[in-house]
């Protein structure tokens, strides 16, 4: 399996500009407005009027970038639209129709059909299902129609209104009228900021509670419990769907080891955020990765890979290009541009090669097929269960290969997901139903057999637990609790 090319790494970062809801809203609004008035581009007055109109709505663009409106908060976005319609004339209805049409074309066909067809081999008929997923999606991404459409319509309504106030090469006097209009807009914008702040202050209550103290117990002696630890992260595996799937080997490992039934992911539950928290033991505000759109590359704190280097040990993370943005050279990248039926097979073949040639003390493998199926086809369909079943067979084959090479004699195996997935386009980030709690279990000679831990834990416990098992110091910013309930002694 080939590595992610430099082009793919850059392309993945660029795609996040369109995938993440925060940058998508201004990009899409700007694109719709300019395309709608394509015939006026040669008029110099157009650019002046459009620029001044854009300047008027800049505070609103900043507001919608600052505040997310996922889950039920998106229902409150239509009230500002109604208020704007009472204050200003609707303007060009064809502009809003163009916006809705372009949005559905981008999400349903370009993204849900063409993009997934080119990248992972999804059917050309995927749009027949994807439009329903977009309408149901609750996460704050570009694929959340119920969040993006009211935002875009409001922005276009006001931009178009103020654009038409400015002269396009005429001598029309408008400053007196405009001063009054500007005052109304300023009051409207201030009220919308206050409205958004009140909503988030009083209704935004689903963020997990964070641990304040750093990891300090058990006290480190420098003695390793295991020779190796292997972590297999089945990206996006929803907990209850895993229970329904035909996955006998994974469930056998869980039964013979220790499972954590209330393992909670971090907020926001984006893949790069989750991996950064799992392998630093820190929260996003500390390691600096707050979404898949990474503006400043690299985590700001120590990772488990840094801790292992302090004691002369080595760890490797086999994953897709996104993870390079946070973990840098500790990532063995794999290309995500391949048919989804081959992706995990190729990843496991590459995993065997890394173990045979490098033999790291800690090896983390990211399996991507389940997550990609959820995003492209939805999590409540049979294809999602089938992909979990395929992951089960591949993990079984990999463990059998490790056993045949003598690499499992004093090794702990950790199986988990980084986040779940919600209904719709398999969204994840803001902890809708199906996202918050993930499968998590350990197996090995030092792990208790048939043990079930029902106490709530967080995925930030991953890094300090790995450090404890491998005799390394805890990462300096780690706040996770070592999962001592799973150890025999």
């Amino acid at each position: 399996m080939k590595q992610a090319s430099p082009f793919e790494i850059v392309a993945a970062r660029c795609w996040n500009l369109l995938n993440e809801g925060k940058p998508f809203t201004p990009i899409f609004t700007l694109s719709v407005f300019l395309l709608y008035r394509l015939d006026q581009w040669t008029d110099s007055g157009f650019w002046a009027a459009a620029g001044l109109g854009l300047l008027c709505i800049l505070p609103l663009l900043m507001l919608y970038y600052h505040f997310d409106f996922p889950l039920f908060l998106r229902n409150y976005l239509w009230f500002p639209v109604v208020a704007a319609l009472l204050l200003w004339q609707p303007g060009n209805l064809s502009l809003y129709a163009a916006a809705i049409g372009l949005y559905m074309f981008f999400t349903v066909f370009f993204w849900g059909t063409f993009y997934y067809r080119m990248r992972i081999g999804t059917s050309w008929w995927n749009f027949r299902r994807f439009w329903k997923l977009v309408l149901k999606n609750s996460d704050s991404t570009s694929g959340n129609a119920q969040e993006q459409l009211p935002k875009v319509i409001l922005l276009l309504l006001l931009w178009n209104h103020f654009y038409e106030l400015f002269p396009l090469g005429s001598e029309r006097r408008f400053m007196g009228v405009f001063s009054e209009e500007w005052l109304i807009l300023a009051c409207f914008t201030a009220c919308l900021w206050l409205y958004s702040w009140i909503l988030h202050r009083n209704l935004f209550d689903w963020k997990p509670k964070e641990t304040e103290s750093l990891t300090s117990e058990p006290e480190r002696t420098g003695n390793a419990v295991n020779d190796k630890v292997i972590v297999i992260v089945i990206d996006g595996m929803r907990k209850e769907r895993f229970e329904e799937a035909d996955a006998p080997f994974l469930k056998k490992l869980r039964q013979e080891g220790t499972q954590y039934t209330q393992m909670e992911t971090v907020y926001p539950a984006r893949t790069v955020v989750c991996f950064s928290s799992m392998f630093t033991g820190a929260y996003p505000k500390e390691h600096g990765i707050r979404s898949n759109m990474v503006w400043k590359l690299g985590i700001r704190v120590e990772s488990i890979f840094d801790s292992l280097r302090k004691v002369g040990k080595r760890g490797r993370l086999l994953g897709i290009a996104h993870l390079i943005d946070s973990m840098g050279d500790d990532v063995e990248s794999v290309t995500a541009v391949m048919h989804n039926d081959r992706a995990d097979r190729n990843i496991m073949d590459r995993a065997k090669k890394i173990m045979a040639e490098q033999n790291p003390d800690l090896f983390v493998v990211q399996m991507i097929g389940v997550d990609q199926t959820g995003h492209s086809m939805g999590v409540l369909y049979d294809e999602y269960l089938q992909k979990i079943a395929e992951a089960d067979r591949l993990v079984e084959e990999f463990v059998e290969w490790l056993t045949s090479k003598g690499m499992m004699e004093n090794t702990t195996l950790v199986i988990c997901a980084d986040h779940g997935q919600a209904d719709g386009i398999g969204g994840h980030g803001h902890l809708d139903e199906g996202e918050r709690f993930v499968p998590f279990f350990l197996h090995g000679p030092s792990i208790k057999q048939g043990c079930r831990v029902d106490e709530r834990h967080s995925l930030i416990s991953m890094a300090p637990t790995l450090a404890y098992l491998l005799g390394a110091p805890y990462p300096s910013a780690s706040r996770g609790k070592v999962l001592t309930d799973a150890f025999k002694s």
Side-chain angles (χ1 to χ4, degrees):
M1 182 182 190
K2 65 179 181 179
Q3 294 184 348
S5 66
F7 173 79
E8 182 179 345
I9 294 171
V10 173
R13 292 168 182 163
C14 292
W15 175 249
N16 278 325
L17 288 170
L18 298 178
N19 183 45
E20 291 289 333
K22 287 179 180 291
F24 174 81
T25 303
I27 291 173
F28 184 73
T29 302
L30 181 66
S31 301
V32 170
F33 188 88
L34 293 179
L35 287 173
Y36 182 76
R37 299 188 180 275
L38 182 63
D39 61 327
Q40 299 177 22
W41 284 18
T42 56
D43 187 344
S44 61
F46 163 76
W47 295 104
L52 290 171
L54 179 62
L55 189 63
C56 291
I57 67 165
L58 186 60
L60 291 173
L61 288 170
M62 295 170 60
L63 185 156
Y64 281 150
Y65 188 88
H66 179 73
F67 289 109
D68 288 308
F69 288 82
L71 310 185
F72 62 85
L73 286 183
R74 60 189 176 169
N75 299 328
Y76 293 90
L77 283 169
W78 288 107
F79 292 105
V81 176
V82 173
L85 289 172
L86 295 175
L87 291 170
W88 295 282
Q89 292 297 320
N92 297 336
L93 297 180
S94 59
L95 174 61
Y96 316 133
I100 295 171
L102 287 171
Y103 176 81
M104 297 306 290
F105 172 81
F106 170 76
T107 55
V108 175
F109 185 77
F110 181 80
W111 178 4
T113 307
F114 179 78
Y115 169 78
Y116 280 129
R117 173 68 181 184
M118 295 296 101
R119 193 185 131 191
I120 63 173
T122 304
S123 167
W124 282 113
W125 297 99
N126 200 49
F127 63 87
R128 294 185 299 180
R129 178 185 299 179
F130 207 79
W131 72 270
K132 293 182 288 186
L133 304 181
V134 167
L135 293 178
K136 290 192 293 183
N137 186 37
S138 62
D139 191 43
S140 192
T141 64
S142 59
N144 185 344
Q146 295 185 57
E147 178 180 5
Q148 291 299 328
L149 288 179
K151 283 182 175 181
V152 169
I153 289 173
L154 176 64
L155 292 169
L156 288 174
L157 186 155
L158 293 174
W159 188 1
N160 187 67
H161 176 80
F162 283 91
Y163 160 81
E164 292 182 344
L165 286 180
F166 290 96
L168 294 175
S170 68
E171 297 297 328
R172 179 163 57 96
R173 297 181 178 274
F174 66 95
M175 287 307 298
V177 175
F178 181 70
S179 297
E180 181 181 347
E181 291 279 357
W182 189 89
L183 180 61
I184 296 173
L185 176 64
C187 292
F188 176 83
T189 303
C191 290
L192 186 52
W193 272 92
L194 180 62
Y195 173 76
S196 301
W197 181 83
I198 291 173
L199 285 177
H200 285 74
R201 177 83 172 181
N202 294 282
L203 300 181
F204 197 98
D205 58 358
W206 55 82
K207 186 176 179 180
K209 183 179 180 181
E210 297 183 353
T211 302
E212 296 183 0
S213 59
L214 295 173
T215 307
S216 59
E217 296 179 351
E219 184 177 351
R220 299 305 302 116
T221 63
N223 297 323
V225 177
N226 292 134
D227 295 331
K228 295 183 185 302
V229 178
I230 294 172
V231 180
I232 299 178
V233 183
I234 304 176
D235 198 318
M237 184 166 69
R238 181 164 163 162
K239 193 170 185 288
E240 62 267 32
R241 295 297 275 166
F242 168 59
E243 299 297 339
E244 299 169 21
D246 178 25
F249 182 73
L250 291 174
K251 292 174 182 178
K252 178 174 178 288
L253 290 177
R254 182 179 64 177
Q255 183 64 32
E256 294 177 351
T258 296
Q259 65 167 313
Y260 286 79
T261 63
Q262 297 291 309
M263 183 60 71
E264 191 172 31
T265 190
V266 296
Y267 180 90
R270 296 279 194 263
T271 294
V272 183
V273 179
C274 294
F275 271 77
S276 299
S277 288
M278 280 195 290
F279 298 109
T280 63
Y283 294 106
K285 64 183 180 182
E286 295 164 320
H287 59 62
I289 307 298
R290 297 177 179 271
S291 74
N292 285 345
M293 183 68 250
V294 179
W295 297 104
K296 185 176 181 181
L297 301 181
I299 51 176
R300 299 192 303 225
V301 299
E302 284 185 351
S303 71
I304 183 60
F305 305 105
D306 297 318
S307 296
L308 290 173
R309 279 189 279 271
K310 292 180 180 180
V311 293
K313 294 185 177 182
R314 189 180 188 215
R316 299 301 289 162
L317 194 166
L318 177 63
I320 59 174
H322 286 315
L323 300 182
I324 296 175
D325 292 351
S326 62
M327 295 295 177
D329 293 338
D330 290 313
V331 177
E332 295 265 354
S333 68
V334 297
T335 179
V337 183
M338 70 179 72
H339 198 287
N340 202 34
D341 290 341
R342 299 195 303 269
D344 284 343
R345 161 62 64 186
N346 290 341
I347 287 172
M348 281 309 189
D349 289 343
R350 176 81 176 278
K352 293 175 186 177
K353 183 177 181 181
I354 292 172
M355 288 301 296
E357 295 178 355
Q358 302 180 31
N359 197 21
D361 303 286
L362 168 65
F363 188 35
V364 182
V365 180
Q366 178 197 21
M367 302 181 72
I368 62 175
V370 172
D371 183 74
Q372 292 188 155
T373 298
H375 284 308
S376 60
M377 308 190 77
V379 300
L380 301 182
Y381 294 87
D382 290 341
E383 293 92 341
Y384 186 77
L385 294 180
Q386 292 167 7
K387 198 56 63 176
I388 295 175
E390 290 176 19
D392 176 81
R393 311 300 186 265
L394 290 169
V395 172
E396 180 178 19
E397 180 184 309
F398 183 53
V399 172
E400 289 176 351
W401 181 87
L402 291 170
T403 303
S404 69
K405 300 297 181 182
M407 295 180 177
M408 292 297 292
E409 293 180 1
N410 189 21
T411 296
T412 289
L413 181 64
V414 182
I415 306 290
C416 68
D418 53 341
H419 54 75
Q421 289 188 292
D423 197 5
I425 59 171
H428 53 87
H430 291 81
L431 306 185
D432 200 351
E433 182 181 359
E435 296 181 47
R436 182 181 294 268
F437 295 101
V438 299
F440 191 101
F441 46 95
L442 304 90
H443 183 278
S446 59
I447 302 300
K448 293 178 182 177
Q449 295 184 4
C451 181
R452 174 188 171 111
V453 179
D454 293 324
E455 178 186 354
R456 181 175 294 196
H457 286 272
S458 169
L459 279 177
I460 65 168
S461 289
M462 176 76 83
T465 300
L466 297 177
Y468 182 88
L469 290 171
L470 292 170
Y474 301 128
S476 59
S478 172
R479 299 184 185 278
K481 179 181 178 181
V482 179
L483 302 177
T484 53
D485 295 324
F487 305 152
K488 287 183 176 177
S489 61

